Amino acid sequence: MKFFLDSADINEIRQMADLGICDGVTTNPTLVAKSGQDFKSLLNEIVRLIPGPISAEVVGLTAPEMLSEAEVLAKIHENIVIKLPLTPEGLKACKALSARNIKTNVTLCFQAGQALLAAKCGATYISPFIGRLDDVSQDGMQLIREIRAIYDNYGYDTQILAASIRHPQHVIQSALAGSDVATCPMKVLMSLYQHPLTDKGLTSFMEDWKKANQKPIV
Ligand code: G3P
């Protein structure tokens, strides 16, 4: 499974780059607004920190507007993936961009029919928002399972990018359901490392080692 960081915070991105588990980054207009940084200069910084797919979302609402923005964003770096909303205009733009081998991430997916359309339009990634479904008492994980089954039935190459992830169980369940990617806030990625018994075990190892008065390992 690939792990993407869902963030536009350059300090978080720098920290994740250092840990070596981050395969890419997804941004969205809300995250970019929160960063307070100029969008294009932010993307220029991110592509230098993470050598993987960097999703940059267009804000135009018609296909021509999206395509002209995509033109600008794609020029920044070959790792830029154009993020498009799951609307008729967004999928028109997706089809045009995939015909030109420009990678796309179709976002704001909440039901399997949308994911089927995105695959038919050649989307590189589909972003089902599992957390926002759970937030309204629907089953986000069921959507991942349905998309996986449909894509496998027809051999679609579109990669499932589980998004809107709220906690480590979303990551684990998405992996079990066969999602190709999970894009997570930093706190969720960091929580994947944690278990109290790991901390407890390491503490007792260190205490026992100290008691044994062993020579330093040099
Ligand atoms: O960036 C796409 C998605 O992961 C955002 O999810 O629900 O946390 O805003 P959310």
Side-chain angles (χ1 to χ4, degrees), residues 83-155:
K83 215 172 180 186
L84 301 153
L86 215 152
T87 61
E89 290 296 301
L91 291 190
K92 261 164 67 178
C94 178
K95 200 167 169 73
L97 291 171
S98 51
R100 289 157 46 189
N101 289 322
I102 293 176
K103 288 192 169 40
T104 54
N105 176 0
V106 175
T107 190
L108 290 166
C109 173
F110 293 97
Q111 50 94 351
Q114 290 177 317
L116 181 50
L117 288 173
K120 282 180 68 67
C121 293
T124 312
Y125 300 99
I126 182 70
S127 289
F129 277 35
I130 57 181
R132 293 193 192 187
L133 285 168
D134 289 2
D135 292 346
V136 294
S137 310
Q138 292 186 25
D139 184 355
M141 215 38 69
Q142 179 59 17
L143 177 56
I144 302 281
R145 285 189 287 272
E146 287 173 1
I147 297 171
R148 180 74 284 153
I150 291 169
Y151 283 10
D152 292 352
N153 285 349
Y154 297 94

Side-chain angles (χ1 to χ4, degrees), residues 2-24:
K2 292 183 212 107
F3 286 160
F4 290 1
L5 176 66
D6 196 30
S7 174
D9 179 324
I10 205 70
N11 293 320
E12 284 188 351
I13 295 167
R14 204 171 278 119
Q15 285 175 61
M16 290 315 295
D18 183 48
L19 285 176
I21 56 154
C22 186
D23 302 301

